[in-house]
Amino acid sequence: MKSPSDPRPPDSDEVQDSPDASSQEALEALQRKLAGLGENSMRKTYYPELQERLEELERLKAFLDHSNDAIFLVEVRTGRIVDLNESACRQMGWSRSELLEKSLFDLSDLHDNPAAVSLIRSDEDAEVRDLIVTELHRHDGESFWAELTLNRMHFRDRAYVLAVARDITQRRAVEEALRQSEEFLKNIVDHIPAMVFAKDAQQLRFITINKYGEELLGFSRKEILGKRNEDLFPAAQAQFFSCKDRVTLEKGELMEIPEEVITTASGDRILRTKKIPLLDEQGKSRYLLGIAEDITERRQLEEKLLQSQKMEAIGQLAGGVAHDFNNILMVIMGYGSMLRNDASLAAPHREQVDRIMDAADKAAQLTSGLLTFSRKQVIKTQTVDLNDVIRHVEKFLSRIIGEDVQLRAVQAGHPLPVDIDANQIEQVLVNLATNARDAMPRGGLLTVETSLQRIDAAFVQANGIGEPGPFAVISISDTGVGMDDQTRKRIFEPFFTTKEVGKGTGLGMSIVYGIIKQHSGFVNVYSEPGIGTTFRIYLPLSATSPLAEETLRDLEQPRGGSETILVVEDEADLRTLLEQILAGAGYRVILAADGAAAIEQYARRTAPISLVLMDMIMPGMSGKEACQRIRELDPAARVLYTSGYTMDIIKNRDLIEEGTELLMKPVRPRELLNKVREMLER
């Protein structure tokens, strides 16, 4: 040790007493040395290096102490803290002396990190390339998340680890908030009742799509992402979609497509789509965002509403014309009767008057039919059992249809009390039987059947007719020539007929429509060209009859289940209805729009399909053919057919195998669920 009067600067060995001396201790040693020099000019003359080093150390200490990061110098192998900055004390809540008695493992969860343990405990040099995220434990028992960097360093031939800890509590909170926000936003987008998707602007490949879009298209997100329109849709549709995509990107603004048809696994759907480009910082289109709303059911309901409004307008017109025409006929028939009763009228003139009166009578019948269609006829109702009405008119129907048409009448096993004008309902049956006879010129089978059905809101929505509640149903089915869809939509219009000129007035079906409407009921028609036609007449069950309570006991809520059911139906609204009924009862439902799609769905099933609910008659492949192909895949497959025709007619057409189960359309929810449950429990 040099004396205070020695003008030479002290050796560094005298300043740094040991390899473990901290920066704080080094600074204090320098300060003691300077204090021993006294206030004389020799300090500035002979010790400028010492003064400069002191200032450098003070700046370094201030820099480290004011850092936002906690800095620890850690001894290798033991992990003991040998030095630290003031920020470490502030963040950890311990004093400097307390922290110098601890190891880094005491303050953290680093013992669970093999790379960190290896770096600190090992004598050999090691490296941790990645940041370590760990919890640091404060003096008050609380913890905070820190991002830790560990680096080996050597000083006086001894190895240390420099640990720099940055508090990332706030950053993690922000990241978690962002993650939750993204998850929340994703959930919102997934539950929007529309397909939301995005494509890249260059190749128009799907880069994201929401859950609704997956369900609509019938593909998983994995199957859709990276694909182009050409990979997912028929050529014509894909070309249309791509054209609209490019036009949107070129215009650089929102574009709305009121209606576009898209082919999906469950059939064709009608979409209303909005597309908009998403721009980059340079204002160039980078992505295409699309939102497509499925308006298929809305379009179908609009068509049914328009049809209903058209029929209502025709009815009002027909009623007005018939009323005014009846006044004219009254004058003609009145004066005609007076002339007929005139004794002085010559024989040739009397014959002419008789022909006038015959024509007037036919005109009166015509106006009567128009008044019935417009629901302006007076009806006299009473409560009767609908089964009795069928039994009463059965013999008369047999004479109408002739010997070459077989009549089969099936009544429900319980009373069906309804408030009706029995004479008018008999007229309905006569008109329908007459039409059925004309549709079977070479003979056939006519089936008249009664049943009970409770109509729910789903049935009303899917069919656009009726009101929820219990109904007595008359089904009249024939094996005639059938009708196409365009004819079926017009059969109730006055004077519309498919018969030859002079062989019908075109009012028979209009009268049926008017009578049933006047009884607060409705008519459903199911027909296929070359197969036949089924009319179903729905009449509200009487609410006042004591028999109604007994009858309604049969309409208790049926049991559901959790099995998987494959629904095969080519009509979209009926397919949706079946899905709602079955899913509402707890079943998992898979949809197919035709027989080919059903076979594909069955072949790629990942879980057992407990039942196939399949339409009997579909375009391309019949239900019978599809069933045979499915049973090649699984001989034990259970199939329940649905059809608008009775079992007699279907067997007559060889459309079903012996012993196959059949449900009649339109779908009766209670009967459907009971039948499904019965088949699943066999």
Side-chain angles (χ1 to χ4, degrees), residues 32 196 200 231 272 293 299 306 356 415 423 482-483 489 533-534 551 579 584 642:
R32 287 196 300 273
V196 181
D200 70 89
D231 302 322
R272 175 180 293 159
E293 180 187 5
R299 281 282 183 269
L306 287 173
I356 291 172
N423 290 330
M483 296 176 281
K489 289 179 178 179
T533 301
T534 295
T551 304
E579 180 183 20
T642 61

Side-chain angles (χ1 to χ4, degrees), residues 73-231:
L73 189 64
V74 179
E75 187 178 54
V76 169
R77 298 191 66 184
T78 64
R80 183 173 65 87
I81 299 170
V82 298
D83 201 357
L84 67 155
N85 65 348
E86 285 298 322
S87 182
C89 297
R90 290 195 304 270
Q91 293 186 47
M92 303 303 296
W94 273 289
S95 67
R96 178 182 179 81
S97 59
E98 289 174 323
L99 286 172
L100 290 174
E101 295 176 356
K102 297 181 179 296
S103 77
L104 193 58
F105 293 105
D106 297 332
L107 304 178
S108 67
D109 295 330
L110 286 178
H111 48 75
D112 295 328
N113 188 300
V117 171
S118 175
L119 181 75
I120 296 172
R121 299 290 194 193
S122 174
D123 286 332
E124 298 179 2
D125 283 347
E127 183 180 1
V128 177
R129 295 182 179 276
D130 299 323
L131 293 173
I132 296 173
V133 176
T134 186
E135 280 192 288
L136 294 182
H137 310 301
R138 293 169 46 86
H139 182 267
D140 58 9
E142 297 294 328
S143 299
F144 64 92
W145 286 98
E147 196 174 68
L148 201 63
T149 57
L150 301 176
N151 289 291
R152 280 284 188 116
M153 61 177 292
H154 293 270
F155 184 72
R156 294 286 182 86
D157 297 328
R158 293 191 63 178
Y160 297 90
V161 172
L162 183 66
V164 181
R166 174 163 295 175
D167 187 346
I168 59 170
T169 305
Q170 186 175 0
R171 191 179 81 190
R172 281 177 65 92
V174 172
E175 290 173 349
E176 178 63 18
L178 285 173
R179 188 194 64 78
Q180 291 181 357
S181 176
E182 290 173 357
E183 187 68 24
F184 181 66
L185 183 60
K186 180 180 179 298
N187 285 335
I188 290 176
V189 173
D190 275 344
H191 288 86
I192 289 176
M195 179 172 70
V196 181
F197 61 91
K199 302 175 183 177
D200 70 89
Q202 298 301 318
Q203 296 184 332
L204 296 178
R205 295 184 183 275
F206 283 89
I207 60 172
T208 187
I209 191 166
N210 67 341
K211 185 177 180 182
Y212 187 95
E214 293 181 82
E215 295 172 352
L216 177 66
L217 299 182
F219 298 106
S220 68
R221 190 167 304 183
K222 184 178 179 181
E223 292 172 316
I224 297 172
L225 299 187
K227 300 293 178 60
R228 305 176 65 183
N229 294 322
E230 293 79 4
D231 302 322

Side-chain angles (χ1 to χ4, degrees), residues 45-59:
T45 303
Y46 297 104
Y47 296 97
E49 294 180 11
L50 187 62
Q51 178 67 28
E52 188 177 324
R53 185 175 179 195
L54 175 62
E55 292 174 357
E56 182 182 337
L57 286 172
E58 287 177 338
R59 285 197 304 271

Side-chain angles (χ1 to χ4, degrees), residues 422-468:
N423 290 330
Q424 290 206 2
I425 297 302
E426 288 179 3
Q427 184 181 353
V428 166
L429 295 172
V430 168
N431 285 5
L432 290 175
T434 302
N435 260 29
R437 178 201 63 197
D438 294 342
M440 297 182 288
R442 298 181 181 179
L445 175 66
L446 177 65
T447 303
V448 180
E449 186 176 352
T450 61
S451 60
L452 177 67
Q453 180 177 350
R454 181 185 292 279
I455 290 178
D456 58 13
F459 181 95
V460 172
Q461 182 180 4
N463 292 278
I465 48 178
E467 294 288 337

Side-chain angles (χ1 to χ4, degrees), residues 446-653:
L446 177 65
T447 303
V448 180
E449 186 176 352
T450 61
S451 60
L452 177 67
Q453 180 177 350
R454 181 185 292 279
I455 290 178
D456 58 13
F459 181 95
V460 172
Q461 182 180 4
N463 292 278
I465 48 178
E467 294 288 337
F471 283 76
V473 184
I474 310 173
S475 301
I476 302 99
S477 300
D478 65 63
T479 56
V481 295
M483 296 176 281
D484 59 29
D485 198 49
Q486 294 301 317
T487 302
R488 183 180 61 82
K489 289 179 178 179
R490 297 192 60 193
I491 57 172
F492 294 122
E493 295 179 12
F495 308 116
F496 175 78
T497 180
T498 57
K499 298 176 183 177
E500 298 176 12
V501 177
K503 291 192 176 182
T505 63
L507 280 177
M509 297 310 301
S510 302
I511 291 172
V512 169
Y513 179 88
I515 290 174
I516 300 305
K517 277 288 186 181
Q518 204 162 7
H519 282 81
S520 300
F522 60 93
V523 186
N524 182 286
V525 187
Y526 185 87
S527 186
E528 293 281 352
I531 302 297
T533 301
T534 295
F535 287 87
R536 281 196 172 78
I537 298 167
Y538 294 78
L539 297 168
L541 208 63
S542 173
T544 58
S545 170
L547 295 174
E549 184 178 350
E550 176 185 346
T551 304
L552 289 173
R553 290 197 195 104
D554 293 333
L555 294 176
E556 294 178 359
Q557 185 66 27
R559 291 187 301 113
S562 58
E563 294 90 342
T564 299
I565 299 176
L566 173 60
V567 173
V568 191
E569 171 58 58
D570 61 302
E571 290 202 25
D573 53 350
L574 291 180
R575 191 166 58 245
T576 300
L577 175 62
L578 291 168
E579 180 183 20
Q580 290 176 347
I581 293 172
L582 294 169
Y587 295 105
R588 180 175 179 268
V589 182
I590 301 173
L591 299 177
D594 52 41
I599 295 166
E600 182 182 350
Q601 291 274 28
Y602 208 98
R604 69 179 190 181
R605 65 192 185 280
T606 56
I609 294 177
S610 302
L611 181 67
V612 179
L613 180 64
M614 181 156 49
D615 189 13
M616 175 63 65
I617 300 169
M618 296 178 291
M621 181 184 295
S622 70
K624 182 178 180 180
E625 293 171 321
C627 178
Q628 291 171 344
R629 296 280 298 278
I630 286 173
R631 284 189 170 142
E632 289 175 5
L633 298 171
D634 179 11
R638 282 180 280 194
V639 179
L640 173 59
Y641 286 118
T642 61
S643 177
Y645 309 108
T646 61
M647 180 64 83
D648 288 341
I649 292 173
I650 289 172
K651 286 183 177 179
N652 190 58
R653 297 284 186 180

